[in-house]
Amino acid sequence: MEKGFSFKKLVSPFLISMIYGLCFMGGCSHVKDWYEPSPEFFVPQEEVRQIDVIDLEEAAEDKPYTVDVIEPEASQLELSLEECRALALENNLDLRVQLINPSIAKEGISQEEAKFDATFTGNVNYAKTDTPTASTLDIAGSSVDSTSVDLGVSIPLRTGGTLSFDIADRRMKTDSLFSVFNPSYESDFSASISQPLLRNSGNRVNTHSIRVAQYNSSITDARTKLEAIRIIANVDRAYWRLYGTRKLLEVRRKQYDLSKALYEETSRFVEVGEKPKIEMIRTEASVADKLEAIIKAENDVRDTERDLKRMLNKKGLGMETKTVLIASSPPDPVRYEINRNRMVEKALENRMEMLELELQIAQDSSNIDFLKNQTLPLVTLEYRYNINGLGPERTDSYDLLSDNDFNDHRFGLQVSIPIGNREAKSRLRKAVYERAQRLASRESKKSEIKYEVLNQIDKLEANWQRVLASRQTTILKHEQYRAEKRQFELGLVTSTDVLNAQTDFADAQRLEILALAEYQIALIDLAYATGTLLGAAKVEWAPVVPRE
């Protein structure tokens, strides 16, 4: 190095600025508070130990139930299946909770990667000692006034080692007669590296925790996607249940109208003496039965509406609102040709449970590699290079430091071998067993998925046959009802025959509606079993990052 280059011009301002920075950081009165502790959460004992009671008030006198009265404040809202899906993905509380998990998992990756961030260290010391002495030949002196500043940077390496740089500046003033410089200034610059050679050595071993965090993040993404599919499938099922209950309510009301018309017709026959009075009583009882069926159907509609509103969680459309939901998307009863083998393959490709197992197996493999390394002896190679400077002035000390006339080299080798090494070997065996267990779980999950898909295919085919059979039955039961009614008007049969035919017709309509709804639900179940969604519209989700 040329004599004209002044090392002190480079280092001294750096030292002074860092000292001022440390002093400023120490004065907390001028530093913004970056952390505010959370308020203490206190739960009164009576809140968790006392069980309250609820007082119910007796209702007013019951009023006769009417069928045709509709509450004026109950508005109607028509929703298609696609709109319900969109609202559920936007507002569903369960999904909103799940969407935060990917953000949490990604912070886990950042935390693991941060272990390779460099660390700055600083140390400032001042000491003044005044010690009595019995001899004037005391080399150190009885009165010593010293100041030292040490600044350094430590850089963790992905190979497992640590690279460090350190610069020290010391000033000492003493009353010793043997001191050449008084005061004296010392400056040192050192660079060191510590590198394990066996255990904890290598990029793969030291990035193991990062890979585990990445696998965990991918597992969280898979679970979030599974939750989104589950929620959409539940919304689809609730949508078709609502469709079915509304159609059934329409059937019950039509049956009520038919029974009421039959009762009025029978009453006229009884008045003119063409029918006995018992016929009027039978038809009147039938009207009461149909009214009870309407009440139950209306309650079923409210239950399915409330369930769908809960999933949609739309503002202004809470579970307590009286808004009537109308399913505007009609069912599409089309028979599909199902390739069983292709469906099983698609399920194994798309099911998030299989992806999660594959990620866990990869995690187990990485864990085994890491634990194999941990069974090796700990052998660490260390090297330190140091440059020394000394002088009566700080500038003289840094000039000598820049000349690099006085330097030190130090090599070291540390060895640590656990005798027996039973703990590390036991951890490795445990990891191997866990991976074998996971591989067996994967085969079991494949068999389970195949069983589920094949069952859903059979269920879909059975529901299609139910649709065809119930549709034919409805047509025949309707014709039978019309024939029995004509026979009753001619006086050939009693009202009991007409009422039985009417009940059979209503049951046939109910079964047809149920078959249509369950066929649509069977399609949803098959799509869910294959890890996909029913319909052409694709759905994408993004993690939610909460505000700080």
Side-chain angles (χ1 to χ4, degrees):
M1 183 177 294
E2 296 181 2
K3 295 291 289 184
F5 176 78
S6 179
F7 192 78
K8 64 178 182 296
K9 292 182 180 180
L10 175 64
V11 179
S12 296
F14 172 72
L15 289 173
I16 295 171
S17 62
M18 292 309 300
I19 293 171
Y20 280 128
L22 291 171
C23 294
F24 176 77
M25 292 294 289
C28 298
S29 59
H30 299 290
V31 180
K32 288 186 176 180
D33 294 334
W34 60 274
Y35 172 73
E36 295 181 1
S38 301
E40 185 177 356
F41 183 69
F42 174 74
V43 180
Q45 285 191 355
E46 58 270 16
E47 185 171 338
V48 294
R49 296 186 180 181
Q50 179 177 314
I51 302 176
D52 296 332
V53 297
I54 184 170
D55 295 326
L56 300 177
E57 296 182 3
E58 187 175 349
E61 185 179 354
D62 291 341
K63 297 180 180 179
Y65 186 84
T66 56
V67 177
D68 299 328
V69 176
I70 299 178
E71 297 179 0
E73 66 269 19
S75 60
Q76 290 188 355
L77 177 62
E78 291 190 3
L79 289 174
S80 66
L81 184 59
E82 289 73 18
E83 289 173 332
C84 288
R85 287 180 174 182
L87 287 173
L89 289 175
E90 181 180 357
N91 302 312
N92 188 273
L93 295 176
D94 294 335
L95 183 58
R96 190 178 301 175
V97 172
Q98 187 70 27
L99 287 177
I100 300 177
N101 287 336
S103 299
I104 298 175
K106 283 183 171 51
E107 290 304 318
I109 299 176
S110 299
Q111 292 173 13
E112 293 299 331
E113 290 178 340
K115 70 182 183 180
F116 294 111
D117 292 348
T119 303
F120 170 78
T121 58
N123 187 15
V124 179
N125 292 296
Y126 171 76
K128 184 175 182 180
T129 60
D130 196 356
T131 306
T133 179
S135 173
T136 58
L137 298 178
D138 188 1
I139 297 177
S142 61
S143 178
V144 179
D145 188 335
S146 64
T147 304
S148 64
V149 178
D150 292 293
L151 302 176
V153 176
S154 178
I155 306 173
L157 304 177
R158 290 181 178 259
T159 59
T162 303
L163 184 62
S164 300
F165 299 95
D166 185 81
I167 187 167
D169 180 271
R170 286 183 288 274
R171 174 188 179 276
M172 187 173 67
K173 185 176 182 181
T174 180
D175 60 354
S176 174
L177 299 176
F178 296 93
S179 178
V180 178
F181 304 124
N182 197 14
S184 64
Y185 292 86
E186 295 182 23
S187 57
D188 296 295
F189 173 78
S190 63
S192 64
I193 185 171
S194 175
Q195 175 62 48
L197 301 181
L198 295 176
R199 190 196 307 173
N200 298 328
S201 174
N203 181 78
R204 182 168 178 79
V205 171
N206 290 280
T207 57
H208 164 69
S209 60
I210 298 177
R211 285 195 304 277
V212 170
Q214 290 172 341
Y215 290 141
N216 286 333
S217 178
S218 298
I219 289 172
T220 302
D221 290 344
R223 290 175 179 173
T224 303
K225 179 181 176 180
L226 180 61
E227 181 69 10
I229 295 174
R230 184 189 67 81
I231 288 173
I232 293 176
N234 287 339
V235 168
D236 289 0
R237 295 185 187 104
Y239 185 88
W240 292 117
R241 291 191 186 104
L242 176 62
Y243 169 84
T245 53
R246 283 218 168 275
K247 286 296 183 181
L248 183 58
L249 178 59
E250 292 178 9
V251 169
R252 295 305 185 193
R253 285 177 172 168
K254 289 178 181 179
Q255 293 300 319
Y256 173 82
D257 293 338
L258 292 175
S259 295
K260 190 175 181 181
L262 181 62
Y263 167 72
E264 293 172 352
E265 184 179 7
T266 304
S267 298
R268 290 193 296 269
F269 284 139
V270 172
E271 288 177 1
V272 298
E274 294 184 7
K275 301 286 185 183
K277 191 174 181 179
I278 188 63
E279 297 290 355
M280 187 175 66
I281 296 174
R282 290 170 179 167
T283 55
E284 187 177 7
S286 176
V287 172
D289 289 340
K290 298 301 186 292
L291 183 60
E292 182 184 359
I294 288 177
I295 296 173
K296 184 180 183 304
E298 286 181 339
N299 188 65
D300 291 340
V301 169
R302 284 192 293 270
D303 287 345
T304 52
E305 272 185 345
R306 191 178 299 113
D307 189 32
L308 186 55
K309 288 177 181 178
R310 177 185 63 83
M311 296 181 189
L312 300 183
N313 195 35
K314 177 179 171 59
K315 187 176 182 181
L317 192 65
M319 291 182 285
E320 71 284 354
T321 60
K322 296 182 179 180
T323 304
V324 175
L325 297 183
I326 306 296
S328 61
S329 297
D332 185 20
V334 178
R335 185 179 184 182
Y336 297 96
E337 291 292 337
I338 305 296
N339 187 322
R340 293 172 176 261
N341 293 332
R342 176 57 185 152
M343 281 295 173
V344 171
E345 292 175 3
K346 194 170 186 64
L348 295 177
E349 292 173 2
N350 292 284
R351 285 284 288 264
M352 290 298 98
E353 298 95 321
M354 289 301 302
L355 176 59
E356 181 176 346
L357 275 173
E358 294 295 341
L359 290 169
Q360 289 174 343
I361 291 172
Q363 201 174 63
D364 292 339
S365 299
S366 179
N367 194 35
I368 290 173
D369 291 342
F370 174 76
L371 292 176
K372 279 182 180 178
N373 178 267
Q374 296 303 295
T375 61
L376 299 175
L378 182 60
V379 181
T380 305
L381 177 65
E382 296 181 349
Y383 171 71
R384 182 180 181 88
Y385 175 71
N386 188 72
I387 307 175
N388 306 304
L390 178 66
E393 299 290 339
R394 180 172 281 109
T395 55
D396 297 328
S397 174
Y398 279 107
D399 285 340
L400 187 61
L401 185 70
S402 62
D403 291 341
N404 195 13
D405 291 335
F406 300 91
N407 51 63
D408 305 324
H409 299 272
R410 181 181 299 171
F411 290 90
L413 185 66
Q414 297 180 357
V415 179
S416 175
I417 304 176
I419 299 176
N421 205 16
R422 290 190 299 172
E423 182 180 358
K425 292 179 179 178
S426 177
R427 288 179 178 175
L428 176 60
R429 286 195 300 270
K430 180 182 177 182
V432 173
Y433 298 155
E434 288 176 347
R435 184 174 183 275
Q437 183 184 49
R438 200 92 65 186
L439 290 172
S441 299
R442 181 176 63 179
E443 297 305 315
S444 175
K445 178 59 70 173
K446 285 182 179 180
S447 178
E448 179 184 336
I449 290 174
K450 183 177 181 180
Y451 175 81
E452 183 179 346
V453 171
L454 294 177
N455 277 357
Q456 292 301 334
I457 293 174
D458 290 340
K459 180 181 175 182
L460 182 66
E461 181 62 27
N463 277 295
W464 172 254
Q465 297 300 329
R466 285 179 58 195
V467 169
L468 298 180
S470 61
R471 182 173 295 173
Q472 184 66 21
T473 302
T474 301
I475 295 172
L476 295 176
K477 291 297 182 182
H478 184 232
E479 292 296 327
Q480 181 182 354
Y481 165 71
R482 291 176 60 186
E484 293 289 352
K485 191 171 182 300
R486 285 195 300 268
Q487 296 280 21
F488 174 72
E489 292 171 352
L490 296 174
L492 301 177
V493 296
T494 64
S495 61
T496 302
D497 298 315
V498 179
L499 294 175
N500 288 338
Q502 189 183 85
T503 300
D504 292 341
F505 176 45
D507 287 340
Q509 288 181 304
R510 179 183 63 83
L511 292 175
E512 182 181 1
I513 293 170
L514 187 62
L516 280 172
E518 290 190 355
Y519 181 71
Q520 296 297 138
I521 293 175
L523 286 171
I524 296 165
D525 292 340
L526 179 58
Y528 183 78
T530 57
T532 57
L533 288 176
L534 187 64
K538 293 183 179 180
V539 175
E540 294 184 5
W541 62 270
V544 173
V545 181
R547 295 181 179 179
E548 297 181 358

